[in-house]
Amino acid sequence: MGPNEILESFFAILKIRSVSLYTHARQTLKFSATGIVNGIVDLSTLAICVEVLNLSLRASVCIAGAVAVTVAFLINKHWTFQNAEKKYFSQYCKFLFVYGTSFLLGVGLTLLFAEIMKIWYMFSRILVIPIAAFWNYFWLHHRVFKR
């Protein structure tokens, strides 16, 4: 039995036991995959801004976060939570509130780690991403894209 069959079996058992648990597990897995893509977008944008464009760390962190939040909304709405509602504006406002607080948390922690604790800026950002991911999933699942 290959990894694909094992994963399919796992989700089939979850679906039999509890549709809610099945849905939550699938969303968590998709959210994690989205987070990996978003992490790559965030870190790549950060590196380009710092290393290629020679922007300050503060400006670069803000730009990388803004690009990542836009990508995150589109992927999470359409793929992770498969939300077909046409309430883009209200959802985007809620999403921006959730990601805005996460963004401020991320910028603050990155600067704390990098500038005050003297941890390499890329490693600082890698430490911050999982903290922000947990915060975001909780609020997106329960408030922004709930059905």
Side-chain angles (χ1 to χ4, degrees):
M1 190 182 277
N4 207 22
E5 289 85 10
I6 293 171
L7 192 59
E8 286 177 8
S9 298
F10 174 73
F11 281 118
I13 292 168
L14 280 180
K15 195 171 189 176
I16 291 168
R17 303 279 294 168
S18 167
V19 173
S20 175
L21 186 59
Y22 166 77
T23 301
H24 187 67
R26 285 196 66 207
Q27 285 178 348
T28 301
L29 188 62
K30 286 182 172 184
F31 187 80
S32 298
T34 301
I36 291 168
V37 170
N38 237 25
I40 292 167
V41 168
D42 188 307
L43 293 173
S44 299
T45 305
L46 180 62
I48 290 168
C49 289
V50 170
E51 304 296 337
V52 176
L53 301 176
N54 295 316
L55 298 176
S56 72
L57 179 59
R58 289 174 186 248
S60 298
V61 168
C62 292
I63 292 167
V67 169
V69 79
T70 303
V71 170
F73 175 76
L74 296 171
I75 295 173
N76 280 312
K77 177 171 178 55
H78 295 293
W79 184 62
T80 304
F81 298 101
Q82 296 179 341
N83 186 279
E85 293 177 311
K86 300 296 181 193
K87 300 188 289 183
Y88 280 91
F89 183 74
S90 66
Q91 285 180 329
Y92 196 64
C93 288
K94 290 177 188 175
F95 187 89
L96 287 178
F97 180 76
V98 170
Y99 267 72
T101 55
S102 175
F103 176 74
L104 293 175
L105 177 70
V107 169
L109 287 175
T110 300
L111 295 175
L112 171 73
F113 294 154
E115 293 183 352
I116 295 173
M117 298 176 73
K118 304 297 183 202
I119 298 171
W120 182 45
Y121 74 94
M122 290 297 271
F123 188 68
S124 297
R125 198 63 174 171
I126 290 168
L127 292 174
V128 168
I129 288 170
I131 296 168
F134 176 78
W135 171 271
N136 293 338
Y137 180 79
F138 178 82
W139 290 107
L140 294 181
H141 178 75
H142 293 289
R143 294 288 180 237
V144 178
F145 298 119
K146 75 176 189 172
R147 293 179 192 184

